[in-house]
Amino acid sequence: MDQLLTVDEAAELLHTSARFVRRLISERRIEFVKVGRHVRIRESALIAFVVAGTVMPLTRSDVTGRAA
């Protein structure tokens, strides 16, 4: 089972503010778990969010339109 992170812990791992994480939650852009009144984020959901936002670098052929 994944570790459940608080909003502050998730923000610390992402190197962002807790406000940003709360916005992700309110916009339903990240998966979360409600435990009573508390919100927790699975560590795997946080990793999936980061992977989904990863942008691959351009290659020379992408920039010039021809093979190197």
Side-chain angles (χ1 to χ4, degrees):
M1 184 170 163
D2 284 338
Q3 182 177 0
L4 294 176
L5 305 171
T6 65
V7 170
D8 291 330
E9 291 170 338
E12 188 175 321
L13 284 175
L14 291 175
H15 300 288
T16 63
S17 66
R19 183 177 178 180
F20 175 71
V21 175
R22 289 185 194 285
R23 192 177 84 203
L24 293 176
I25 291 166
S26 69
E27 294 174 356
R28 306 274 199 241
R29 293 175 51 198
I30 192 167
E31 183 182 309
F32 62 94
V33 177
K34 291 279 289 189
V35 182
R37 292 181 2 186
H38 304 284
V39 174
R40 298 292 185 259
I41 302 162
R42 285 190 186 102
E43 194 171 10
S44 62
L46 200 59
I47 293 168
F49 173 76
V50 171
V51 168
T54 301
V55 178
M56 299 305 293
L58 295 175
T59 63
R60 175 173 261 165
S61 63
D62 293 335
V63 175
T64 61
R66 57 185 173 156

